[in-house]
Amino acid sequence: MREQHMSQTSIAQFEKLYEAWRNQEANAWIRETDVEPLTNVPSFHDVYQTIDHDKAVGAFSRTAFLKLNGGLGTSMGLDKAKSLLPVRRHKAKNMRFLDVILGQVLTTRERLSVPLPLTFMNSFRTSEDTMAAIRRNRKFRQSDVPLEIIQHQEPKIDLSTGLPVEFPSKPGLEWCPPGHGDIYSTIYESGLLDVLQQLGFKYLFISNSDNLGARPSRTLAQYFENTGAPFMVEVAQRTYADRKGGHFVRDKATGRLILREMTQVDPKDDSAAQDIERHPYFNTNSIWVRIDALKAKLDEYEGLLPLPVIRNYKTVDPTDSTSPKVVQLETAMGAAIGLFEGAICVKVDRMRFLPVKTTDDLFIMRSDRFHLTDSYELEDGNYIFPAISLDPRYYKNVNDFDERFPYSLPSLAAANSVTIQGDWTFGRDVVFYGDAVLEDTGRPSYVPNGEFVGPQGIEPDEWI
């Protein structure tokens, strides 16, 4: 890391993570007997009724926006920032995640007359492309607050040796970002909080760039100010599909909220941890924090917050399952909730949690289930989406996905679920309805223009 001219902060952080991994501290379970479920979280709708919305503009004017933008989207076969992936068409134009984010900020600035500075936390792999795309946006301007801070990087660890992996054919793949928990040491080292404080900002809203539902909200800004809490996380109602996600619990010993990832659950507690009635909320990774409280906490720990270590097992080349097995040592941003006395959660609707992690998610986002408004908000009737299962052999990578939908995506408006097995390519104006299924025919197959696909596959052309 020194040879690569990395900072002492990044080196100290990696050393801390490595020692925890080597000593197996990452195996420390958060047992069900030691925690209490988080219940009775106030909802956005409850909060909305208590807010003076004219006054809320004042709190919003003291809020800055930070987007985590370090991910490449390798799980979808991308080799650039996921935020540069087209996600919708709007008025005959392809709109990327980044375009929607910038549009949301520009619209909010104009509509409410607030400064709303926007900063991206880029990684060494996403910075150049992202900043070039922002510079090409003729409407977006920002000078006082940095447009980006650069996430740290660390070596991937070869599981067979415990040493930094060597991969001479693609040396760039020997390195990785240390998870989104790295945001805190990156903020500390960048001096961003000092800049924001000097300009009079008091609150920081942090969210993922692939979650277009995490848009600016004056209601939540005012609610956060009203509570006086140092740290607030948006949570959403768990469904069966969310049962394996991170959720918040209250530590019986300290009374503080803590984030429990499923990797921290003892196998004996799996059933209780996945019980969506017992633990009804999951972590959306959208966080509100008081700038002065975060600055004090970072100063206390010299930029290295004591967050639990997450071990992410992969191959050094994520696209090649035969390449050497590695572990990436990471931390989670939401885990910082346990460090702040008086931290809280607020329950939000699914309209504020629209992540795209796979092409299954992208299928829904690009479909007719959504309308992108002129305010750059993704609107849907009820945000209860059909279950999508696309054969990963043919749809996992974006290029393969796009190739099989050459015209437009089929309609999902009448679909409860969609299961595609095998290699299917789609014509124009195809409609899915009910529990739509396409079985593997053992060869490349085609759904002609205008066909309806339901529980029995493609509908027959003739009445019985």
Side-chain angles (χ1 to χ4, degrees), residues 140 155 176 230 251 340 351:
F140 187 84
C176 64
D251 182 30
F340 290 88
M351 63 184 295

Side-chain angles (χ1 to χ4, degrees), residues 230-381:
F231 196 95
M232 180 174 78
V233 181
E234 297 182 27
V235 297
Q237 192 78 33
R238 268 174 124 189
T239 66
Y240 181 77
D242 308 309
R243 69 193 185 283
K244 295 185 178 181
H247 55 280
F248 291 98
V249 292
R250 194 173 298 280
D251 182 30
K252 289 181 179 178
T254 65
R256 291 189 178 185
L257 293 175
I258 54 176
L259 173 64
R260 181 169 66 169
E261 302 285 359
M262 289 307 294
T263 54
Q264 298 170 292
V265 174
D266 187 291
K268 300 185 186 70
D269 296 330
D270 269 354
S271 178
Q274 294 185 44
D275 184 341
I276 63 175
E277 299 296 330
R278 178 174 176 80
H279 298 287
Y281 311 112
F282 70 87
N283 173 29
T284 69
N285 221 37
S286 294
I287 290 174
W288 299 77
V289 62
R290 290 183 63 99
I291 290 173
D292 57 356
L294 178 57
K295 191 172 186 301
K297 192 64 65 175
L298 288 170
D299 288 341
E300 178 184 349
Y301 290 102
E302 297 182 336
L304 304 178
L305 300 185
L307 305 178
V309 179
I310 298 171
R311 297 172 294 174
N312 193 352
Y313 293 103
K314 295 190 175 186
T315 53
V316 63
D317 183 347
T319 65
D320 181 3
S321 60
T322 66
S323 61
K325 291 181 171 58
V326 298
V327 61
Q328 298 177 192
L329 303 177
E330 304 175 357
T331 56
M333 177 172 71
I337 196 171
L339 302 176
F340 290 88
E341 187 72 40
I344 60 174
C345 293
V346 61
K347 177 189 169 185
V348 297
D349 292 337
R350 287 281 173 151
M351 63 184 295
R352 289 191 61 80
F353 185 68
L354 304 172
V356 175
K357 304 298 182 185
T358 66
T359 50
D360 290 0
D361 300 326
L362 185 65
F363 188 88
I364 297 174
M365 191 69 70
R366 287 183 176 177
S367 76
D368 60 352
R369 286 302 305 260
F370 281 107
H371 169 65
L372 183 61
T373 72
D374 288 344
S375 298
Y376 298 89
E377 297 177 346
L378 285 160
E379 297 290 354
D380 177 68

Side-chain angles (χ1 to χ4, degrees), residues 8-77:
Q8 189 54 45
T9 298
S10 65
I11 293 171
Q13 177 173 254
F14 175 70
E15 183 179 15
K16 184 178 177 182
L17 298 180
Y18 186 84
E19 287 301 318
W21 170 72
R22 189 172 69 171
N23 295 319
Q24 298 301 307
E25 291 177 21
N27 274 335
W29 307 121
I30 300 177
R31 294 301 308 269
E32 190 72 17
T33 53
D34 297 329
V35 299
E36 296 174 346
L38 175 63
T39 57
N40 299 319
V41 173
S43 75
F44 180 89
H45 298 288
D46 297 334
V47 167
Y48 188 86
Q49 301 301 323
T50 68
I51 296 299
D52 181 334
H53 294 280
D54 293 328
K55 179 183 176 184
V57 176
F60 205 21
S61 69
R62 296 185 286 275
T63 300
F65 204 18
L66 178 57
K67 279 288 187 181
L68 306 186
N69 193 54
L72 284 180
T74 53
S75 62
M76 293 191 288

Side-chain angles (χ1 to χ4, degrees), residues 197-211:
Q197 281 189 317
Q198 290 167 8
L199 293 171
F201 292 98
K202 292 186 176 182
Y203 314 110
L204 188 61
F205 175 50
I206 310 170
S207 60
N208 292 334
S209 64
D210 67 358
N211 177 14

